[in-house]
Amino acid sequence: MSLVKQVSKISISIPCRNIHTSCHSLAPVPLTYTSYSAPEHDRNSPLIIVHGLFGQKQNWNSVGKALHKKLEAPVYAVDVRNHGASPHTETMTYTEMAEDLVEFIDKVKEETKKKRVNLLGHSMGGKIVMRMAIDSKWSDRIEKLIVEDVSPKGYSRRHVEFRELIKTMRKVNLQRTRKEILTDLESAIPDLSMRQFILTNLQPSSKNKDEMEWKVNMNTIDSHVEELLGYTLPVGSYRGPTLFLHGAKSGYVPDSHKPDIKFLFPQVQFDAIPDAGHWVHADKPQLFIESVYKFLKV
């Protein structure tokens, strides 16, 4: 039986702890997380999962539980800054988010008495774990690296559609029920699964009981969207075992990017999951879990 805990990591010298008040981040922020653990069961290195843009730790509940059981290892799913229940800040560069993750990993290492952890990042989270891995001052914390459906190169035109998405989210009437908001978004976001994913970011308003509010820090994401989507990894390399696990129908990891990936990650393996799009873990959860397990168990 896995023990699922939802707790918030404590840190020092944090300039802002209020998730509804943005602040400039001068130090790593404490990431909230869910852990799936059972001390009598957990023999192997921890796995830390980092979600993508507009994602959050709760999206990983079923996959996190399954991986914990299969890997016989503690699994941690975090909320990155400006997402979920983690603090809101005025900035969110990839270097800052990597520093947040490093601090979290150091606490996990201390808690589990393990020297290194396995890292899995999806989309934006994939770029966060890559940014950490290629930096020599951080990479020795990593045993194996898994990048889900994202390239180390930037996506120059994606920010336009995400700006439209943010504009749509800002416009929606939040004085309606979750079901009504789902319907209201239909014309702007025709894909039902995408609308449902976006609505996982809704919560009852902390100020008005008759309203909903967005958990994500819309202002900071809006001001950083070009960097978040257009970011290309700086020079560096990670020479540990690496898996690029991507959807065969996605297009986020094209063959043209593979030479750059191999240069940055010399020990890379690729696994394209059939009939999966960008959210591989949601589209084909069993194939995703098997791929992760096969890579980590070797």
Side-chain angles (χ1 to χ4, degrees):
M1 181 70 69
S2 70
L3 174 63
V4 180
K5 298 181 288 185
Q6 293 208 45
V7 274
S8 176
K9 276 293 178 192
I10 303 302
S11 183
I12 58 172
S13 302
I14 302 302
C16 177
R17 292 180 182 276
N18 184 344
I19 68 166
H20 299 296
T21 303
S22 293
C23 64
H24 182 71
S25 174
L26 301 175
V29 300
L31 303 180
T32 58
Y33 66 95
T34 299
S35 68
Y36 310 94
S37 61
E40 72 285 355
H41 170 83
D42 298 336
R43 302 183 295 107
N44 299 311
S45 297
L47 171 65
I48 297 174
I49 300 172
V50 188
H51 63 76
L53 188 59
F54 292 115
Q56 55 192 304
K57 62 184 184 296
Q58 73 182 45
N59 302 143
W60 289 87
N61 278 345
S62 59
V63 170
K65 288 175 185 175
L67 284 171
H68 163 244
K69 185 176 180 181
K70 200 166 179 67
L71 293 170
E72 297 183 326
V75 174
Y76 299 80
V78 300
D79 282 335
V80 306
R81 61 170 62 197
N82 298 310
H83 289 71
S86 281
H88 284 190
T89 61
E90 289 180 4
T91 57
M92 55 182 306
T93 66
Y94 278 103
T95 299
E96 287 174 318
M97 292 188 285
E99 288 171 341
D100 297 342
L101 185 59
V102 167
E103 182 170 276
F104 179 79
I105 288 169
D106 286 346
K107 296 292 176 62
V108 168
K109 285 171 55 186
E110 185 180 332
E111 182 180 293
T112 61
K113 310 301 181 193
K114 298 289 187 182
K115 292 182 179 178
R116 293 185 295 173
V117 303
N118 295 308
L119 278 184
L120 190 169
H122 172 241
S123 198
M124 178 185 75
K127 288 211 170 171
I128 296 170
V129 301
M130 284 190 276
R131 174 66 186 89
M132 179 188 159
I134 65 166
D135 198 311
S136 59
K137 68 178 179 285
W138 296 330
S139 58
D140 62 354
R141 294 167 170 84
I142 305 169
E143 192 167 304
K144 292 185 177 182
L145 180 71
I146 302 171
V147 178
E148 181 190 354
D149 211 69
V150 73
S151 161
K153 298 187 75 173
Y155 302 97
S156 58
R157 291 174 297 215
R158 301 284 304 181
H159 66 86
V160 176
E161 65 188 80
F162 272 88
R163 277 214 181 281
E164 285 303 310
L165 175 59
I166 292 166
K167 194 184 297 182
T168 298
M169 291 170 72
R170 285 189 189 279
K171 282 182 182 175
V172 73
N173 181 1
L174 297 176
Q175 292 182 316
R176 288 164 67 75
T177 66
R178 188 179 294 269
K179 188 175 180 180
E180 288 170 336
I181 293 171
L182 184 70
T183 302
D184 291 345
L185 289 172
E186 188 170 358
S187 59
I189 310 171
D191 183 70
L192 175 60
S193 60
M194 183 61 176
R195 288 204 309 282
Q196 290 170 330
F197 169 70
I198 291 299
L199 257 63
T200 63
N201 287 284
L202 274 179
Q203 65 184 5
S205 171
S206 56
K207 297 174 183 174
N208 188 333
K209 65 181 179 66
D210 297 321
E211 283 189 26
M212 304 292 281
E213 67 182 10
W214 297 111
K215 295 179 194 176
V216 289
N217 183 352
M218 208 79 74
N219 291 334
T220 297
I221 291 172
D222 196 5
S223 62
H224 287 75
V225 72
E226 278 90 355
E227 179 183 5
L228 292 173
L229 297 166
Y231 181 78
T232 294
L233 245 63
V235 174
S237 69
Y238 172 68
R239 300 190 173 274
T242 304
L243 173 66
F244 270 68
L245 197 169
H246 58 102
K249 297 196 303 185
S250 164
Y252 271 76
V253 185
D255 288 343
S256 61
H257 288 196
K258 288 182 178 178
D260 292 287
I261 294 170
K262 290 174 182 175
F263 180 76
L264 290 164
F265 305 97
Q267 283 201 63
V268 70
Q269 303 172 32
F270 294 94
D271 189 7
I273 302 298
D275 298 319
H278 183 53
W279 285 272
V280 187
H281 61 279
D283 291 347
K284 296 290 178 181
Q286 291 309 314
L287 292 177
F288 177 86
I289 290 164
E290 280 300 325
S291 181
V292 170
Y293 173 71
K294 182 179 176 183
F295 175 68
L296 293 182
K297 77 169 184 177
V298 175

